[in-house]
Amino acid sequence: MLNNYETVFILNPVLSDDQMKDAVGNYEQLLKDNGAEIVNLEMWGLKKLAYAIQHKSTGFYNLIEFKADPKTVAALEIEFKRDEKIMRFLTVSLDKHAVEYNARRKSGAFNKKKKEEAAA
């Protein structure tokens, strides 16, 4: 049985845009090769860090939501630890409420601007 997971990882800001996209694509392919189903992939772009990591104050934030077995998550996290481009990562298991919340967030249910424009 596949469980729902969400992983956010921060890539080194010295990477070019192409290198960043290649790295994200490699992790997406690693998940697919291990039998995972990608539910959502978001590249949040260059963001300021709350505190310096490796003497850097910014990083490329990425989110991947996927369905997989726990062995796949272990393989993914081993690759994150080996990759020098990854500054930080966090993978969490999603319960049914988090899955529902993410589905509503993706559909724009929490976007105030769209609701205000629709009302006008």
Side-chain angles (χ1 to χ4, degrees), residues 51-68:
Y51 55 90
I53 300 172
Q54 299 168 357
H55 305 288
K56 294 175 179 63
S57 61
T58 59
F60 288 109
Y61 279 70
N62 299 281
L63 174 139
I64 302 176
E65 184 181 345
F66 58 97
K67 294 179 182 179

Side-chain angles (χ1 to χ4, degrees), residues 20-81:
M20 189 265 301
K21 288 179 182 173
D22 285 346
V24 173
N26 289 341
Y27 289 113
E28 184 180 1
Q29 190 61 44
L30 178 118
L31 287 169
K32 289 179 181 174
D33 291 345
N34 284 295
E37 175 188 336
I38 305 293
V39 175
N40 186 28
L41 174 68
E42 295 178 17
M43 294 183 193
W44 295 342
L46 190 65
K47 302 260 183 203
K48 186 174 180 180
L49 303 173
Y51 55 90
I53 300 172
Q54 299 168 357
H55 305 288
K56 294 175 179 63
S57 61
T58 59
F60 288 109
Y61 279 70
N62 299 281
L63 174 139
I64 302 176
E65 184 181 345
F66 58 97
K67 294 179 182 179
D69 64 21
K71 291 179 184 175
T72 302
V73 174
L76 177 68
E77 290 189 344
I78 287 172
E79 290 301 316
F80 279 156
K81 289 176 185 174

Side-chain angles (χ1 to χ4, degrees), residues 6 40-42 44 63-65 98-111 114:
E6 180 178 87
N40 186 28
L41 174 68
E42 295 178 17
W44 295 342
L63 174 139
I64 302 176
E65 184 181 345
V99 171
E100 181 181 325
Y101 176 86
N102 282 347
R104 291 181 59 206
R105 183 179 61 83
K106 284 185 290 190
S107 69
F110 305 121
N111 192 343
K114 285 184 180 178

